[in-house]
Each structure stands twice: as structure tokens, then as C-alpha cells.
Amino acid sequence: MGKLAITGGKPVRQKPFTAWPIYTQKEKQGLLKVLASRNWGGYPFPNKLADAFAQKFARFHGAKYGLAVANGTIAIEIALKAIGIQPGDEVIVPAYTWEGTVGPILLLNAIPVFVDIDPDTYCLDAKLIEKALTSKTRAILPVHLAMRFADMDEIMRIARERRLAVIEDCAHAHGGKWCNKGAGAIGDVGCFSFQSSKLMTAGEGGGVITSKLEYHERAQSFMNCGRASVTDKFRHRLIGFNYRLTELQAAILEAQLARLPQQAKVRQANMDYFEKRVRGTPGLDFLKPDPRQTRVAAYQFVFKYLPEHFQGIPRAAFLGALQMEGVPCDGLFYEPVYRSALFPVDAKEWPALSWGRPEPLNLKTLYHCPVSERAAYEEAVWLPHHIFLGSRKDTEDIAGAVRKVCENIGELRGLKPPAIEVKAMSRAERPRVEKRQW
Ligand SMILES: Cc1ncc(COP(=O)(O)O)c(C=O)c1O
């Protein structure tokens, strides 16, 4: 029997952390009101609550126009359509992100071009973008990942110089700011997700914000079955789909948005405290803060586990032990998309990968992004945001558990219980063994 819970010791934490999502009477009343109104869906578009919420959400981030849509993946598809992406166009994306950032590019028969991430932020490395540009590049799609922003100054400079559109994937960045500009309102279009794990949620849902009326109009038509937009100044006509959000979800999101600033404050104070308590632990490293990120919106607290310091004991063992100490955590949260089992791309299904080429592009073998691969398979540790919504004592427990596992890492040598095995599984495999997955 060792000191660690995984080897039979007493866990640091036995009580659960703050449950997520959080709801109060506000959500309940909002839902009941919609129920009684019998106006539940997204039609007639943009309907009432969905429209009111979308406008408020856009203004909150400093954009002129907003749309409430079915989910974050669709938000990206809508944004790509809004900027007028054409089959065969290339879109720059970070290699290290959720597959939902990339799938919509293929869906529109365009081509994702993977670029590695910056080791200081785990976001798209703006220094590598220029090398990846070709005559077919049409857009850059940075992701403000976990707790940092991509370098939007440099990305906007490149985009302006090369006349490229910029779509910000802000699925992790509700309320975040870069140089005092809101997430999603720096580039041309911003996309958000309101899926269960996100900083505000209606179970599912998404948002698209922009300050360009033309993009807003095209987005409306695309998400509303091709119907004319409300203003219809540009008179674009295109084949569209039903990607509307329901009034039931909009009622929940209204309450969630009102609560976001207060939650962000608590979360940030606890995360700062956590970092203070674990900084200096040998073998751990941290993402670098950037003073241009004027408001942090941390979706998860991400830090680095350096396996070479821990005599090669893999991250999965550290995570399994941390989980057994009572702290929810993840490592293989994302993979470089080109290597992910959730990205079984086959050129036969996506004709743009073959056009004008002697051999189709093989997105699975074309890329090697070392920083993304190290983050994904060795180094990154992800702690969910809601565990930082509790008390100082909760945060003290998280920090205590991290330090305890590091100090007793030797106990993990050669161990392979299910708690560790599950931490080495990809997100494609895990739903078979885990009941609840964000
Ligand atoms: C970075 C990123 N982009 C896009 C998405 C897609 O959002 P959704 O799950 O709402 O479709 C997610 C969320 O899961 C995400 O984390």
C-alpha cells in the first residue's frame, strides 16, 4: 500500500466539486415561459428569444450582429459559407484542436491546411502561417484554445496583407478579450459552442457573430433553409439548411450569459491561486500569459507534465492517479486532428483533395506537427473549468492532489489499472467505457 489513492492510500478529495452545468430559478422560469407560449422552435426565424439572445451575445463581445445556431460545429460551417468559401479553397487551421473545427471545411469541399501550435499558448503558431499559404488559401481559422488566445495581431496582419478572411473558433473563449476586443469580434466572423462542457451551455447550441452585414446576411440564409435574410441588402441567394436554435435553448442561454461574468471572476481567481500553489513543482510547466489577452476566459486549466522529469512515467499514469485522488482531469483531450481516429479522412469522399493533383492529398500522412504531437500524446493536462467554481478549499485540494501525485510518482512505475488505461484511450474509444464525457 502506498501514499497515493491509486496504490491504496487516502484520496485528497472525496467530496465532488461544483456540479456543471449550473442552473437556477432563472432557467426554470425561462423554460416554463417558452413551454406555455407554445413557440418552441427556431421558426419563424430568427424568432424572439433566439434573436434577442444572439444580439446580446454579439454586443457582449463587441460585434454588431449575432445568430443563435444549433451547435458550434455548424457555427463554423455557417461562418465558412458566410465568407464565401468555395470548393477547393484552402483554410489554415491549428493541428491541435477539436475535430469539429476541421470537419466543416471538408464538408464544404474545401481543404484544411494544418499548422502547428505555439508551445507557449497551445494555439495556432502565427509564425508558421506564412509558410503554409498558397495561391488557394482563402481563410485562417485560429482557435482560442482552453485558456489562451492565438496571436491575433499577427494573424490579422497576415490576413490583411494577403486579403484572407479570419474566422475565430471561440468555442473555449466566451467573454475573453484580446487587446480589449472581444473574442470573435477581432476577425471577420466568430464562432461559439454552447455544448454541455462549455463556459455557458444549453446542452447544445452555437453562436455566430460578425460586424459585416454581408456575412451576417449570407449566414442567415444558409442557416434558415436559403430564405432571404431579414435585411436582404446584398440579395444573396444560396441553398441553405435548418441550423436554427430553439426558443427553449435560447431561454436557458439568456440566463447563462447573465451569470457568465460573475462565474468568470470566481473561476479566474481560483485558477490564479491554483497556479500559484503548483508553480515550482519540479516536472510541471505552464503556458505563458500574454498581456495582450486582456480578459482571460479559461475553458479548462491547461498545464504541462514533463515526462522526462518523471523518469519516463507516462502522463496517463499521472492522470489516472490524479483522478483517483478525486480530481477530474484529461490528457488526450485533443489530438493533432490529422492523426485522430475521429478524422478517418478518405480522399474518395472529399473530391477537392484530388483536384488538379496527380495523387490525392493524404491528410493523414502529409503532416508532422511536433508541438501538437507532444502536447497531445505526452504533455498536456486539462482540468475542467467547473472544478474552479467552488471555494478556496476546493482549489487547495486540486493543487494538493497535483503536488501529491508528483511527489509520489515513483509509486506509479509499471502500474496499469483501468484508471490509468482509460487515460491513455483516445476520445474515439472512451465512450465505450466512460459513462459521462464532456
Ligand atoms: C475548439 C472547438 N471547436 C468547435 C467545437 C464544436 O462545438 P459543438 O460541440 O457545439 O459542435 C468545439 C466543441 O466541442 C470545440 O471545442
Side-chain angles (χ1 to χ4, degrees):
M1 190 162 136
K3 284 194 185 142
L4 295 176
I6 203 166
T7 51
K10 187 168 175 275
V12 170
R13 177 87 184 183
Q14 276 162 319
K15 254 179 45 190
F17 290 96
T18 304
W20 187 261
I22 288 171
Y23 67 92
T24 66
Q25 280 303 109
K26 263 189 147 180
E27 277 86 346
K28 283 190 193 170
Q29 280 161 4
L31 278 172
L32 286 173
K33 237 171 135 176
V34 176
L35 209 60
S37 76
R38 299 181 197 273
N39 177 12
W40 296 353
Y43 182 85
F45 177 83
N47 219 331
K48 291 184 180 145
L49 296 183
D51 189 37
F53 164 73
Q55 300 319 319
K56 205 181 270 184
F57 189 74
R59 282 198 304 275
F60 181 70
H61 291 90
K64 278 194 192 156
Y65 312 108
L67 292 167
V69 307
N71 61 57
T73 312
I74 272 169
I76 291 170
E77 187 188 336
I78 294 170
L80 289 162
K81 201 72 192 174
I83 62 157
I85 210 83
Q86 294 293 314
D89 285 347
E90 293 179 3
V91 181
I92 304 282
V93 282
Y96 188 56
T97 182
W98 175 236
E99 288 73 11
T101 310
V102 181
I105 300 170
L106 285 172
L107 203 60
L108 296 176
N109 211 6
I111 300 174
V113 174
F114 294 108
V115 168
D116 209 352
I117 53 168
D118 182 332
D120 289 341
T121 61
Y122 281 175
C123 295
L124 179 64
D125 190 339
K127 297 185 291 302
L128 304 179
I129 292 175
E130 271 170 334
K131 268 196 274 174
L133 299 178
T134 73
S135 58
K136 291 188 174 163
T137 311
R138 183 68 220 289
I140 308 174
L141 205 171
V143 182
H144 304 315
L145 197 89
M147 57 197 291
R148 293 286 176 258
F149 266 59
D151 182 345
M152 289 307 290
D153 293 358
E154 185 59 8
I155 289 171
M156 293 311 292
R157 182 193 68 75
I158 297 168
R160 276 196 203 101
E161 229 173 80
R162 308 291 284 249
R163 297 174 158 267
L164 305 173
V166 175
I167 296 173
E168 295 172 74
D169 181 344
C170 309
H172 299 179
H174 312 69
K177 282 190 175 172
W178 173 267
C179 296
N180 290 319
K181 281 197 183 156
I186 309 161
D188 296 286
V189 189
C191 302
F192 292 81
S193 163
F194 305 123
Q195 173 267 348
S196 303
S197 71
K198 301 301 189 301
L199 293 174
M200 43 182 289
T201 179
E204 303 289 354
V208 177
I209 65 171
T210 182
S211 291
K212 294 203 168 131
L213 183 61
E214 184 173 5
Y215 294 165
H216 183 53
E217 286 194 351
R218 282 177 64 83
Q220 286 174 65
S221 292
F222 188 58
M223 67 171 287
N224 189 29
C225 310
R227 294 181 178 95
S229 68
V230 174
T231 44
D232 202 25
K233 196 168 154 215
F234 290 88
R235 303 195 65 77
H236 288 296
R237 293 294 177 267
L238 41 90
I239 293 178
F241 303 91
N242 174 5
Y243 290 159
R244 300 179 299 253
L245 190 88
T246 67
E247 291 287 278
L248 292 156
Q249 288 163 292
I252 296 179
L253 288 171
E254 171 82 32
Q256 298 268 308
L257 179 59
R259 206 173 291 124
L260 180 71
Q262 179 53 25
Q263 283 177 342
K265 262 192 205 152
V266 173
R267 189 186 292 120
Q268 201 50 50
N270 281 333
M271 284 182 172
D272 289 347
Y273 183 67
F274 169 74
E275 185 163 337
K276 213 165 94 191
R277 302 292 286 146
V278 292
R279 234 181 209 286
T281 308
L284 301 187
D285 202 359
F286 297 86
L287 300 178
K288 286 215 174 78
D290 187 324
R292 293 172 296 175
Q293 195 178 349
T294 41
R295 191 159 73 204
V296 178
Y299 165 58
Q300 303 227 354
F301 189 99
V302 173
F303 63 95
K304 299 181 185 181
Y305 172 84
L306 309 176
E308 55 277 13
H309 176 89
F310 295 108
Q311 308 113 45
I313 289 175
R315 179 187 59 183
F318 168 80
L319 291 167
L322 186 59
Q323 186 88 34
M324 294 294 283
E325 293 299 331
V327 176
C329 55
D330 204 350
L332 256 184
F333 192 70
Y334 291 147
E335 294 184 58
V337 174
Y338 57 84
R339 265 182 70 171
S340 166
L342 292 174
F343 192 71
V345 59
D346 179 341
K348 287 200 285 298
E349 291 178 59
W350 314 103
L353 297 178
S354 306
W355 289 342
R357 300 171 199 273
E359 287 292 319
L361 281 177
N362 185 341
L363 298 180
K364 300 289 289 175
T365 55
L366 191 61
Y367 293 96
H368 168 52
C369 297
V371 184
S372 300
E373 292 183 13
R374 181 173 160 96
Y377 301 115
E378 293 175 43
E379 187 179 86
V381 175
W382 293 64
L383 304 179
H385 67 87
H386 62 91
I387 67 174
F388 294 97
L389 282 175
S391 62
R392 212 12 91 89
K393 164 76 173 72
D394 289 355
T395 309
E396 195 61 71
D397 285 348
I398 304 167
V402 167
R403 284 198 313 265
K404 180 181 169 192
V405 177
C406 289
E407 281 158 19
N408 296 283
I409 200 90
E411 288 184 18
L412 302 177
R413 189 173 307 285
L415 280 192
K416 270 214 174 122
I420 290 179
E421 278 183 350
V422 77
K423 296 297 184 193
M425 276 184 179
S426 80
R427 285 179 75 179
E429 294 172 83
R430 264 189 265 160
R432 292 188 286 111
V433 294
E434 273 186 343
K435 279 214 188 73
R436 174 153 197 177
Q437 251 203 331
W438 292 114

